[in-house]
Amino acid sequence: YQRRVRGLFGEENTAIIREALVLRYQLLPYLYTLFYEASIDNSPVMRPLWYEFPGDSSLHYNQREFMVGPSLLSSPVLVSGESTHYATLPSDQVWYNYHTLMTHEPTRSLPVIVKPTTMPLFVRGGSVMPVKKRLRRSSELMAGDPYTLVVALTKQGEARGRVYNDDTKTFNYKQGQLLYTEITFANNKLTNRAISGSYVSPDIERIVILGIEKLSASKNGEGLIASYDKSKRVLTIKKPAVKLSEEWTIDFQ
């Protein structure tokens, strides 16, 4: 595959294609959840900004950017040769660059340096997004891979999100072989509670909390391994020993 792609598109373009594919596979758990919810309540996966921010009339005619579900804003580069792109970040909450994890305040014109290998993507403050970071050749091979949870806090230190999973192959989800769970962060506690189903999910290998002060993390009184990036205000918990199919609470203090 790599030999064919390199021969067709060259090294530089092959690297761009590769990064796009890596991003697609990373976001599959989030997209899978969105499509499940669309099957339940008809909520669109791709949404104009006014859908999520109906009170902001200035967004009614914005046709450059869109939301992917409630949590991810895409601001694609549409002008050939553009070196600096300006993104719109609505609402009164903070946003986080998906690629760099840097925090951004709401603005109508955030300058973004254009790179062919990355699309401007921003995570909405108050969101919890499931992703998978291990590189695989197909979605089938990554089905059993562990999750990474991206917890993007609001200015008030809160976040909420839902995750759906099943065996991805059969219709057994119609007989309850599924998992639909809600994850919340409030009062310095990260909590997972099942909404429906009993499907056993893969482990969570990493929890990345954006916009948090340096705190220690523990589960059932036992400390968890965590690292903190002060410049970005990002706390990363490695191997928290939890599953989406279990109910649990992680305390921060």
Side-chain angles (χ1 to χ4, degrees):
Y1 170 79
Q2 289 185 349
R3 290 194 298 269
R4 290 198 300 270
V5 171
R6 286 174 181 170
L8 287 172
F9 302 107
E11 294 287 344
E12 182 179 356
N13 290 330
T14 298
I16 296 172
I17 294 169
R18 181 182 183 277
E19 290 302 316
L21 290 173
V22 167
L23 177 63
R24 173 187 178 273
Y25 281 108
Q26 284 183 2
L27 294 176
L28 277 181
Y30 177 63
L31 295 173
Y32 203 55
T33 299
L34 293 180
F35 277 98
Y36 169 73
E37 292 174 338
S39 73
I40 298 300
D41 58 15
N42 296 317
S43 55
V45 174
M46 182 178 177
R47 309 172 182 184
L49 295 187
W50 55 259
Y51 183 94
E52 286 294 325
F53 309 99
D56 190 342
S57 60
S58 68
L59 301 176
H60 291 179
Y61 301 99
N62 185 318
Q63 300 183 45
R64 299 183 299 109
E65 288 133 333
F66 58 92
M67 298 292 295
V68 182
S71 304
L72 195 62
L73 185 148
S74 175
S75 182
V77 177
L78 303 176
V79 178
S80 177
E82 187 176 44
S83 59
T84 302
H85 174 74
Y86 292 90
T88 300
L89 304 180
S91 88
D92 59 352
Q93 286 296 344
V94 294
W95 294 81
Y96 303 90
N97 187 303
Y98 177 84
H99 304 287
T100 68
L101 306 184
M102 294 297 294
T103 305
H104 298 287
E105 294 292 329
T107 179
R108 298 299 178 194
S109 57
L110 176 72
V112 180
I113 302 300
V114 174
K115 297 180 180 180
T117 54
T118 57
M119 177 187 296
L121 288 175
F122 301 91
V123 183
R124 183 180 183 179
S127 305
V128 178
M129 288 180 54
V131 298
K132 289 191 176 183
K133 294 286 190 175
R134 298 190 181 184
L135 298 181
R136 299 295 187 192
R137 294 179 181 271
S138 69
S139 58
E140 183 176 2
L141 292 176
M142 65 185 287
D145 285 349
Y147 288 93
T148 290
L149 293 181
V150 179
V151 182
L153 300 184
T154 63
K155 296 177 181 178
Q156 294 74 34
E158 298 177 342
R160 182 184 303 271
R162 294 182 175 183
V163 185
Y164 173 81
N165 193 25
D166 57 28
D167 64 16
T168 73
K169 298 177 181 179
T170 71
F171 290 100
N172 291 343
Y173 68 92
K174 293 185 176 182
Q175 283 74 50
Q177 292 300 308
L178 59 86
L179 178 68
Y180 191 40
T181 184
E182 183 171 66
I183 302 165
T184 59
F185 190 104
N187 301 317
N188 284 342
K189 294 179 183 293
L190 182 66
T191 304
N192 180 58
R193 294 288 181 267
I195 299 174
S196 61
S198 58
Y199 183 76
V200 178
S201 75
D203 293 340
I204 296 173
E205 70 174 344
R206 187 182 296 108
I207 299 173
V208 182
I209 304 178
L210 313 180
I212 191 173
E213 299 300 329
K214 185 176 182 180
L215 298 171
S216 60
S218 63
K219 175 177 172 282
N220 298 328
E222 296 185 5
L224 299 174
I225 300 173
S227 60
Y228 186 69
D229 187 328
K230 185 177 181 180
S231 63
K232 298 180 180 180
R233 297 177 65 235
V234 174
L235 181 73
T236 302
I237 302 173
K238 298 179 180 179
K239 298 181 179 179
V242 294
K243 294 177 179 287
L244 287 173
S245 49
E246 301 171 347
E247 296 194 344
W248 43 262
T249 297
I250 296 177
D251 297 293
F252 297 84
Q253 57 186 4

